């Protein structure tokens, strides 16, 4: 394909930017048709999501969740697996964290409680990803279909568990009790008071560490080599002596654990209780982030911040412009996934021609 | 409530009423996937068609015009999906998910923009598709069983229900006994061989997407202008994915797929009926657990524990003509 003829900067930066611009152009057209000015809307969006320090805090808060779901989808993609199940894995990960906190938050101090809860979220997330991984590796059941099924099963199961067991007696709201304050993650505005009242917390720093570990593990370790070899060509990897089924299962376990960790930011950093449908599509946004960021740590960071900004800016924009509800940004997310994920080579032939001429 | 409240007859009737949503969508997916294009965008096409059908039916007070408009928008999306998956050779899974997410947002925004009712359309009232009462229903009503069977189970549904069930043998015939079906299967199993035999792979796949668009639109129209009588945000509620599951369940064969749809329709009806009923011995069964059954069954089928499901060989792989 023409894609391989292009220089690295073109495929890594120019094409994603052109695709992103196309998606935003379609979005601008829709905003125009809704009777609002796209330029004024963009101004409000940028101002409330990036320029205003409190808004920036919210943008980074959302980004922390997206980094984890983006990493979850990316690590599976490295092994050639399309994990659509991050949503369900994050949901069940939230259950793991909640169970640890409900059992122990009255007896343990924060420095012990918080790591235990984080481990709980990772273990439950990994466990939820294990079966789809196992079925793909050993029985050849397609991971896309099984993970979709597991999202639905997780939704029904969590609904059942929350409504039947976790609601405190006498409460109507489908949510667990509030966790003890010892488990609340320290917010970053204690260190940077300029951020104002934002829920941005230390899980953002955890997310940055996870990005670094991901980069090193995938490109600088023997295991990462096996992982990428499996993703690029299973047959070749098999003949090179790599155990395909083991690599697939381990990749899915890590993918699930990362998705589970995504629940830490929202539950321990913000709401402080488990509620119905708390992932709210973050797992699916992870797919967009992995695709747009080309499974690269820097790309994942940048696209997580972009999606965080779209959500934060979208909230403020919908308050000022009733014609542009926050759902507009669900539409824009879809467009970005379509342009950056599925039509990644849309401009490759044109760009190749342009470069050849010069 | 007690066990006596459990009405098997009404479960059967609601199974018939639940199934068309899945049958239309699954048959749409069958055309696309048999041609080698993964149709993860069923959900998005259903939603778009459900909204446009309801909006146009309400505005014109004519359900048939609503259905027609739904067909138009669903076909347009299917062709966009075809452009991305076939012409651009993009990732079909990603394209499908992107369309679903985009439509979930866009339908709400447009519904809110045009009708300002929190993202739903006004009640269709008279513009809802009416149920057909078979001739002689009144005469047979008093006879036990026969009256119910003729008037409620077979009769008393809207035209789309009959269309859905009539479609099953038609799709079977098209897929297995028509020239187009033969080409469709060839293109989905081995596009290079089909190409060598002189079949235009891209055109066949686009035709398949066209069929998928038309069929899927009925599914959305059924949701809004038959079942509920209005459009509601995200009203497809995973039915598009469930239809794909029925395909896996039915091994991409029309008759078995339709049986899968009926099974899912049955479980949905069972879930509604069973909620709150106290059974002897086991007690109350929560609806959310019943809801889980079809998905668990599908995972078991996928694992090859009940039967092995074999997808069309070229599914999900863009066709690049060899030179």
């Amino acid at each position: 394909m023409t894609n391989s003829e292009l220089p690295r900067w073109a495929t890594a930066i120019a094409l994603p930017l052109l695709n992103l611009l196309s998606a935003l152009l379609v979005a601008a057209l829709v905003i125009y048709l809704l009777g609002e000015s796209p330029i004024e809307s963009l101004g409000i969006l940028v101002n409330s999501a990036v320029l205003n320090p409190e808004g920036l805090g919210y943008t980074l808060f959302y980004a922390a969740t997206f980094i984890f779901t983006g990493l979850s989808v990316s690590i599976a993609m490295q092994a050639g697996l399309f994990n659509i199940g991050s949503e369900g894995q994050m949901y069940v990960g939230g259950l793991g964290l909640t169970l640890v906190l409900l059992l122990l938050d009255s007896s343990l101090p924060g420095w012990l409680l918080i790591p235990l809860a984080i481990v709980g979220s990772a273990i439950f997330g990994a466990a939820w990803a294990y079966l789809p991984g196992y079925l793909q590796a050993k029985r050849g059941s397609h991971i896309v279909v099984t993970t979709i099924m597991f999202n639905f099963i997780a939704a029904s199961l969590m609904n059942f568990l929350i409504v039947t067991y976790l609601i405190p007696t006498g409460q109507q709201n489908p949510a667990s009790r509030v966790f003890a304050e010892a488990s609340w993650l320290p917010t970053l505005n204690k260190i940077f008071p300029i951020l104002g009242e934002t829920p941005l917390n230390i899980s953002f720093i955890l997310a940055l560490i996870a990005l670094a570990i991901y980069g090193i593990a995938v490109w600088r370790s023997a295991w990462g080599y096996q992982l990428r070899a499996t993703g690029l060509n299973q047959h070749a990897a098999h003949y090179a002596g790599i155990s395909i089924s083991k690599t697939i299962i381990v990749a899915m376990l890590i993918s699930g654990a990362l998705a589970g960790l995504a629940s830490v930011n929202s539950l321990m950093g913000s709401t402080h209780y488990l509620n119905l449908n708390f992932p709210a599509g973050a797992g699916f946004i992870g797919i967009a982030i992995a695709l747009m960021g080309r499974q690269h740590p820097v790309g994942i960071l940048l696209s997580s911040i972009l999606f965080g900004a779209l959500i934060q800016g979208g909230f403020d924009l919908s308050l000022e412009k009733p014609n542009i509800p926050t759902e507009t940004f669900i539409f824009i997310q879809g467009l970005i996934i379509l342009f950056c994920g599925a039509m990644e080579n849309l401009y490759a032939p044109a760009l190749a021609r342009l470069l050849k001429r010069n | 409530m007690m066990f006596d409240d459990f009405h098997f007859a009404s479960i059967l009737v609601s199974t018939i009423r639940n199934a068309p949503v899945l049958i239309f969508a699954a048959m749409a997916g069958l055309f696309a996937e048999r041609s080698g294009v993964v149709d993860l965008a069923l959900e998005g096409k259903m939603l778009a068609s459900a909204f446009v059908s309801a909006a146009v039916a309400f505005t014109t007070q004519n359900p048939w015009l609503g259905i027609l408009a739904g067909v138009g928008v669903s076909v347009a999306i299917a062709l966009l999906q075809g452009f991305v998956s076939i012409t651009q050779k993009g990732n079909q899974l990603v394209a499908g998910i992107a369309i679903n997410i985009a439509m979930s947002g866009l339908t709400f925004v447009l519904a809110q923009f045009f009708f300002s009712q929190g993202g739903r359309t006004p009640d269709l009232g008279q513009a809802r598709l009416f149920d057909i009462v078979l001739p002689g229903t009144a005469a047979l009503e008093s006879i036990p069983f026969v009256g119910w069977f003729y008037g409620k189970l077979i009769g008393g549904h809207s035209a789309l229900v009959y269309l859905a069930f009539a479609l099953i043998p038609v799709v079977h015939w098209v897929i297995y006994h028509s020239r187009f079906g033969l080409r469709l299967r060839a293109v989905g199993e081995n596009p290079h061989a089909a190409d060598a035999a002189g079949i235009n792979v891209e055109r066949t796949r686009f035709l398949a997407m066209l069929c998928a668009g038309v069929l899927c639109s009925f599914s959305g129209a059924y949701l809004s202008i038959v079942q509920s009588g209005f459009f509601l945000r995200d009203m497809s509620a995973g039915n598009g994915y469930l239809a794909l599951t029925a395909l896996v369940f039915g091994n991409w064969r029309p008759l078995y797929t339709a049986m899968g749809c009926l099974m899912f329709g049955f479980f949905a009806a069972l879930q509604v009926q069973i909620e709150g009923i106290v059974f002897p011995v086991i007690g109350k069964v929560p609806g959310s657990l019943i809801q889980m059954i079809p998905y668990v069954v599908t995972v078991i089928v996928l694992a090859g524990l009940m039967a092995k499901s074999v997808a069309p060989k070229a599914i999900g792989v863009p066709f690049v003509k060899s030179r």
Side-chain angles (χ1 to χ4, degrees):
Chain A
M1 297 260 293
T2 40
N3 202 2
S4 54
E5 296 165 13
L6 287 170
R8 214 177 119 84
W9 64 264
T11 49
I13 298 164
L15 285 183
L17 271 183
L18 280 172
N19 284 322
L20 183 62
L21 280 178
S22 316
L24 294 181
L25 214 63
V26 178
L29 182 72
V30 169
I31 287 175
Y32 175 75
L33 292 177
L34 292 175
E36 302 288 351
S37 152
I39 294 175
E40 191 195 342
S41 306
L42 183 72
I44 297 172
L45 193 128
V46 171
N47 186 46
S48 77
V50 187
L51 301 181
N52 164 9
E54 197 171 311
L56 181 66
Y58 269 97
T59 296
L60 296 181
F61 165 73
Y62 294 121
T65 302
F66 298 154
I67 290 173
F68 277 112
T69 54
L71 281 175
S72 162
V73 178
S74 293
I75 197 118
M77 262 180 200
Q78 295 286 0
L81 304 165
F82 198 51
N83 179 15
I84 302 187
S86 296
E87 183 84 0
Q89 290 146 17
M90 177 178 171
Y91 206 177
V92 175
L95 175 70
L97 169 164
T98 304
L99 291 181
V100 170
L101 291 181
L102 292 184
L103 286 174
L104 301 174
D105 68 350
S106 55
S107 50
L108 287 185
W111 60 269
L112 194 58
L113 191 61
I114 291 173
L116 274 180
I118 292 175
V119 170
S121 75
I123 290 177
F124 270 61
W128 201 248
Y130 172 74
L131 210 55
Y134 174 84
L135 291 176
Q136 166 82 50
K138 303 284 186 185
R139 317 276 317 187
S141 325
H142 205 285
I143 201 114
V144 170
V145 190
T146 41
T147 49
I148 290 175
M149 292 306 111
F150 268 69
N151 282 342
F152 285 120
I153 298 174
S156 313
L157 184 71
M158 294 294 284
N159 188 356
F160 168 69
L161 291 177
I162 291 173
V163 172
T164 319
Y165 296 110
L166 294 178
I167 296 183
T169 35
Q171 293 284 325
Q172 288 299 314
N173 184 28
S176 76
R177 72 165 168 83
V178 177
F179 309 142
E181 219 164 308
S183 73
W184 297 14
L185 292 181
T187 48
L188 291 187
N189 57 15
K190 298 216 176 69
I191 312 166
F192 306 106
I194 188 178
L195 288 170
E197 280 305 305
T198 67
L200 181 65
N201 56 70
I202 54 164
S203 68
F204 183 72
I205 295 169
L206 285 183
L208 294 181
I209 297 171
L211 276 172
I213 296 175
Y214 166 86
I216 295 166
V218 170
W219 281 282
R220 295 279 182 270
S221 77
W223 175 77
Y225 173 77
Q226 296 184 357
L227 185 75
R228 284 179 294 131
T230 307
L232 288 172
N233 189 333
Q234 281 204 5
H235 297 287
H238 175 70
Y239 285 114
I242 295 168
S243 164
I244 305 297
S245 54
K246 197 178 139 200
T247 312
I248 286 177
I249 293 175
V250 172
M252 279 306 287
L253 284 175
I254 297 175
S255 175
L258 285 164
L261 287 173
S263 66
V264 171
N265 184 42
S266 19
L267 296 186
M268 289 165 72
S270 169
T271 57
H272 309 299
Y273 57 81
L274 176 75
N275 51 330
L276 216 54
N277 299 325
F278 79 86
F284 295 110
I285 294 179
I287 299 171
I289 284 162
L291 289 166
M292 237 186 94
R294 308 269 152 129
Q295 295 100 258
H296 190 281
V298 178
I300 295 170
L301 176 66
L302 291 178
S303 36
S304 297
I305 292 174
L306 172 76
F307 275 87
L310 281 179
I311 292 199
Q312 164 58 18
F315 274 134
D316 279 1
L317 186 57
S318 68
L319 288 179
E320 289 197 30
K321 306 273 178 194
N323 273 354
I324 311 176
T326 48
E327 281 75 8
T328 316
F329 292 87
I330 298 179
F331 169 64
I332 295 176
Q333 280 168 24
L335 283 179
I336 293 178
I337 301 178
L338 189 67
F339 276 97
C340 298
M343 294 203 279
E344 47 185 11
N345 295 324
L346 186 63
Y347 297 109
L351 198 63
R353 242 178 287 131
L354 196 77
L355 289 176
K356 216 173 262 176
R357 200 180 299 157
N358 297 333
Chain B
M1 277 205 272
M2 288 302 292
F3 184 60
D4 308 330
D5 294 330
F6 186 76
H7 294 299
F8 195 69
S10 59
I11 290 183
L12 283 186
V13 173
S14 6
T15 301
I16 301 286
R17 286 172 173 265
N18 287 341
V21 177
L22 293 173
I23 293 176
F24 285 126
M27 293 303 149
L30 193 122
F31 275 99
E33 303 216 333
R34 269 299 176 109
S35 83
V37 180
V38 179
D39 200 349
L40 228 49
L42 288 173
E43 190 83 2
K45 282 181 279 194
M46 276 166 78
L47 264 185
S49 158
F51 166 66
V52 173
S53 302
V56 172
F58 174 77
T59 317
T60 61
Q61 286 295 308
N62 183 337
W64 301 105
L65 283 179
I67 294 176
L68 204 65
V71 170
V73 70
S74 173
V75 165
I77 297 173
L79 292 181
L80 168 72
Q81 201 187 350
F83 171 74
V84 176
S85 317
I86 303 167
T87 315
Q88 283 287 318
K89 310 189 197 312
N91 187 323
Q92 300 171 4
L93 302 167
V94 177
I97 290 177
I99 288 172
N100 291 346
I101 294 176
M103 286 308 138
S104 163
L106 187 63
T107 49
F108 177 92
V109 173
L110 293 180
Q112 178 64 18
F113 181 71
F114 286 115
F115 302 105
S116 308
Q117 294 191 0
R120 57 167 276 183
T121 63
D123 277 313
L124 291 174
Q126 290 303 307
R128 210 169 150 175
L129 205 60
F130 54 88
D131 287 343
I132 295 170
V133 179
L134 294 182
T137 302
L140 292 169
E141 205 165 15
S142 52
I143 309 172
F145 187 72
V146 176
W148 167 80
F149 186 81
Y150 185 75
K152 291 247 173 71
L153 191 68
I154 296 187
H157 303 296
S158 75
L160 282 183
V161 176
Y162 298 108
L163 179 64
F165 283 92
L167 204 64
I168 302 165
V170 172
V171 172
H172 175 86
W173 182 84
V174 170
I175 296 286
Y176 290 109
H177 300 287
S178 75
R179 178 200 286 259
F180 171 62
L182 179 70
R183 291 185 168 176
L184 192 76
R185 283 180 291 140
V187 160
E189 293 294 329
N190 193 336
H192 290 281
D195 183 50
I199 299 173
N200 186 332
V201 174
E202 298 206 342
R203 197 176 67 192
T204 310
R205 286 188 173 173
F206 263 109
L207 280 174
M209 291 312 293
L210 197 72
C211 298
V214 173
L215 292 181
C216 199
S217 74
F218 294 138
S219 175
Y222 186 78
L223 277 175
S224 62
I225 62 179
V226 176
Q227 273 197 320
S228 58
F230 51 83
F231 169 83
L232 190 69
R233 177 186 192 182
D234 287 331
M235 73 187 307
S236 54
N239 272 307
Y241 292 111
L242 207 54
L244 278 187
T245 310
L247 270 181
V248 178
F249 188 84
N251 221 342
W252 287 266
R253 290 178 292 186
L255 302 180
Y256 291 88
T257 301
M259 272 162 53
C261 296
L262 282 169
M263 180 190 79
F264 291 155
F266 176 78
F267 278 116
L270 189 67
Q271 186 207 334
V272 175
Q273 269 284 317
I274 224 164
E275 198 99 51
I277 292 182
V278 181
F279 284 94
V281 191
I282 43 173
K284 261 189 189 177
V285 181
S288 48
L289 290 186
I290 304 287
Q291 204 177 25
M292 228 154 81
I293 294 174
Y295 307 117
V296 175
V297 169
T298 308
V299 171
I300 294 171
V301 171
L302 276 164
L305 296 181
M306 265 162 60
K308 189 77 191 150
S309 185
V310 183
K313 281 202 186 58
I315 199 165
V317 189
F319 172 67
V320 182
K321 209 173 162 87
S322 42
R323 299 182 196 280

